[in-house]
Amino acid sequence: MQHAASQDSPDRLNDFVIKLANVNGTGSASANTLLMKSLFRMGIPVMGKNYFPSNIQGLPTWYEIRISRDGYVARSGRIDVMVAMNAETYAKDVKDVSPGGYLLYDSTWPRPALLKRDDITIFGVPLARICNETFQGVRSRILLKNIVYAGVLGALLDIELDVMRSLLGESYANKKSLLDSNVKALELGYNYAKEHFPCPLPLRVARMDKTANHIMIDGNTAAALGCMYAGATVGAWYPITPSTSLMDGFKSFCQKWRVDPETGKRNFVIVQCEDELAAIGTVIGASWNGARSFTPTSGPGISLMNEFIGLAYYAEVPAVIFDIQRVGPSTGMPTRTQQCDLMIAAYASHGDTRHVLLFPNSPEECFYMSVHAFDLAERLQTPVFVMSDLDIGMNDWMCPDLKWDDSYVPDRGKVLSKEQLDQIDKFYRYFDKDGDAIPYRTLPGTHPKGAYFTRGSGHTQYGGYTEDSTEYQIVLDRLKRKFDTAKTLVPKAVLDGRGSTNLGLVSLGSCDGAVREALDLLRRRGVHIDYMRVRAFPFGQEVEDFLAAHSQIFVVEQNRDAQLRSLLTLETAVDKAKLHSILHYSGLPMSSSVIVDGVLASVPEQRLAVGG
């Protein structure tokens, strides 16, 4: 063990970050999840973020666990405890440890390069030797080595051993041999640390009561659950990172809850298509027939879907699209997060189109917004996008228990029944009878009067074919008015602040955690900023009012080209000069420091002195 030059750092009880550096494919996920869940079971707010490669096996992977007694959910920007298990990344991993921090490595093999920093404490544990002397089989030794380091961390950080044992018991309840070997590996690591190192460290945990009525869940799982509760029965997709696990989750839920126990009949359809264009085509066909249907994808998939998205917009067919945003087109960096699809989703397809977008900030909102998306799609008869991202979709978040109202009735919108069709002389599919720009629709097979044949965009308000300019413009203008109707139906922006400052901040989605932490830090420095989290596009009146009420507005988002700022300037009356971008597009989730630094760089010193 090598000690840092100074050991007088203040006690960081329940407030530090662990980062675990491994090789993809070595089974480290089980140990990392064990650590995070143990902390959660101890009542401590915790967040897990996985940084993994896009190949199947062999490249570096990192898992970051933030323990935050204050419940912050963003990356902190510092690393207090590093577990360096990958020889190829030692240099980077050692460098990333914050001064005064700790590094744990496998000392079975000498690592003199690790001894070059004198401002951190280094713990060497012969993990491989311990496993080789105790367990049989190469694969078992590799897997159990991870559980041994979990045990070491348990002792160093004061994680309750009984909680860790209990979680292993739940994981291997029906596999006694695996349970016994995992518990033994855990205790070997725990006892080694107790014997060789000062335990616990100044960085340590202690039981709290802040996780009651909360769960750990990722956004894709929560969205899949929302789809099932919303009544979706058809899912079509082409596998693409990071959205595939959403359909995996939906399939799992449907196999459990959508199979008739008596007949074995499946009351759902899941189609893995040959490409994304086929997937959205399947969704449109199913929705036109009356099924609630959806597709999960990411930016490259949206690009391929554009023509059919336009068809659904002009033919006014409901469709729900989950865009789990990632970095870049093509193969790009598919396992890194970004918010770079705002513009392509808002105006997807050819010609004049505008689409409804929902922006969840957490798995909790992924669940509720999934249900809302289906209601909006059918009420407005149009595609609706749920704009999640990899950080929300694939990472582990602590969320309040999800609630469900059993009295919920799906909003199917203006669908004419057989009885209603019996009472009318003639059905006109695209006629605005009520003046809200939303026509009535029918489902196939309901009634002969409800049948119609039309083109996607070249149709009249009565549903007939046309290439007449005037007739086409009547339909196009109504679609624009329908978008205005959507402003009254989408989720309103969330507003926070005193309302007495000229400084405003606008953001969306997964930026929210970093923004809220940054605002706390800024307040401590005397800078008070009103905050608006946009939850949907089109923007409602509350967005216009917030923009008008502030003379300097920071727009925080995770892309290079300031796409939210662009949407605000295109779709509201805001003075463009008011808007100041704070951008983050490294592929890693945003931390509060990016926002704090961006604000302080733009706010004059004299304004800091008077509290913003």
Side-chain angles (χ1 to χ4, degrees), residues 300-534:
I302 300 297
S303 298
L304 294 174
M305 293 178 184
N306 261 236
E307 184 173 4
F308 271 0
I309 292 172
L311 169 66
Y313 175 84
Y314 282 105
E316 299 182 68
V317 180
V320 174
I321 303 164
F322 290 88
D323 182 358
I324 317 302
Q325 298 170 89
R326 70 184 207 188
V327 173
S330 186
T331 50
M333 288 170 60
T335 58
R336 295 293 183 266
T337 195
Q338 216 167 313
Q339 296 170 324
C340 51
D341 296 343
L342 305 187
M343 296 296 287
I344 189 175
Y347 304 112
S349 200
H350 321 104
D352 293 312
T353 54
R354 281 193 181 106
H355 302 294
V356 174
L357 315 181
L358 304 183
F359 306 117
N361 73 333
S362 65
E364 179 188 11
E365 283 200 343
C366 284
F367 174 74
Y368 295 117
M369 284 190 176
S370 296
V371 179
H372 201 172
F374 285 100
D375 284 347
L376 285 170
E378 293 205 285
R379 177 110 179 247
L380 292 165
Q381 302 174 26
T382 197
V384 172
F385 292 77
V386 181
M387 304 295 291
S388 181
D389 59 35
L390 184 145
D391 182 24
I392 297 174
M394 295 192 71
N395 282 327
D396 299 305
W397 293 61
M398 188 180 94
C399 295
D401 290 344
L402 303 176
K403 308 291 185 182
W404 184 250
D405 182 357
D406 286 332
S407 66
Y408 167 77
V409 176
D411 185 348
R412 304 305 303 268
K414 297 182 178 182
V415 181
L416 294 176
S417 66
K418 180 179 184 299
E419 292 72 24
Q420 289 171 315
L421 287 166
D422 266 333
Q423 295 173 12
I424 63 175
D425 292 330
K426 190 167 180 62
F427 168 64
Y428 298 115
R429 172 64 181 94
Y430 299 108
F431 184 73
D432 182 15
K433 180 181 178 181
D434 299 330
D436 60 359
I438 302 174
Y440 286 82
R441 66 185 177 116
T442 58
L443 301 181
T446 302
H447 193 292
K449 285 185 182 178
Y452 64 96
F453 180 80
T454 188
R455 285 190 174 186
S457 58
H459 57 252
T460 70
Q461 60 183 318
Y462 304 109
Y465 154 73
T466 188
E467 293 187 22
D468 179 85
S469 300
T470 301
E471 293 287 350
Y472 170 71
Q473 287 180 115
I474 289 173
V475 173
L476 208 62
D477 290 342
R478 180 182 56 77
L479 289 172
K480 184 177 180 180
R481 294 197 309 275
K482 186 167 75 168
F483 194 71
D484 291 333
T485 299
K487 293 179 182 181
T488 67
L489 301 176
V490 298
K492 292 187 179 300
V494 175
L495 305 174
D496 289 304
R498 301 180 305 178
S500 58
T501 173
N502 289 325
L503 295 179
L505 188 149
V506 181
S507 192
L508 79 171
S510 62
C511 297
D512 184 55
V515 169
R516 292 188 178 278
E517 184 176 354
L519 294 179
D520 284 349
L521 296 172
L522 287 165
R523 275 192 289 270
R524 294 170 196 168
R525 301 184 63 160
V527 183
H528 296 275
I529 303 178
D530 293 332
Y531 173 38
M532 176 176 68
R533 177 167 65 89
V534 173

Side-chain angles (χ1 to χ4, degrees), residues 143-169:
L143 296 175
L144 291 170
K145 185 166 66 171
N146 301 315
I147 303 300
V148 175
Y149 75 61
V152 173
L153 287 175
L156 289 172
L157 304 177
D158 222 9
I159 303 172
E160 295 176 12
L161 188 58
D162 285 345
V163 172
M164 301 178 82
R165 288 195 193 104
S166 175
L167 282 165
L168 288 175

Side-chain angles (χ1 to χ4, degrees), residues 86-106:
N86 186 354
E88 291 187 12
T89 64
Y90 274 149
K92 172 179 171 54
D93 296 335
V94 175
K95 182 180 178 182
D96 284 349
V97 181
S98 299
Y102 302 84
L103 183 138
L104 171 67
Y105 77 106
D106 186 350

Side-chain angles (χ1 to χ4, degrees), residues 7-73:
Q7 291 293 311
D8 58 355
S9 58
D11 190 299
R12 298 278 300 283
L13 182 66
N14 294 336
D15 187 23
F16 56 93
V17 176
I18 309 167
K19 192 168 185 177
L20 305 113
N22 284 279
V23 177
N24 198 35
T26 56
S28 58
S30 296
N32 300 342
T33 301
L34 172 64
L35 288 164
M36 186 187 66
K37 287 185 176 180
S38 297
L39 295 164
F40 179 77
R41 289 282 179 92
M42 290 175 64
I44 305 166
V46 65
M47 165 66 77
K49 294 190 184 295
N50 192 15
Y51 313 126
F52 58 99
S54 55
N55 73 328
I56 296 174
Q57 187 167 327
L59 288 182
T61 182
W62 291 269
Y63 192 77
E64 190 170 303
I65 301 173
R66 183 175 185 183
I67 299 104
S68 171
R69 59 184 175 231
D70 296 317
Y72 292 131
V73 298

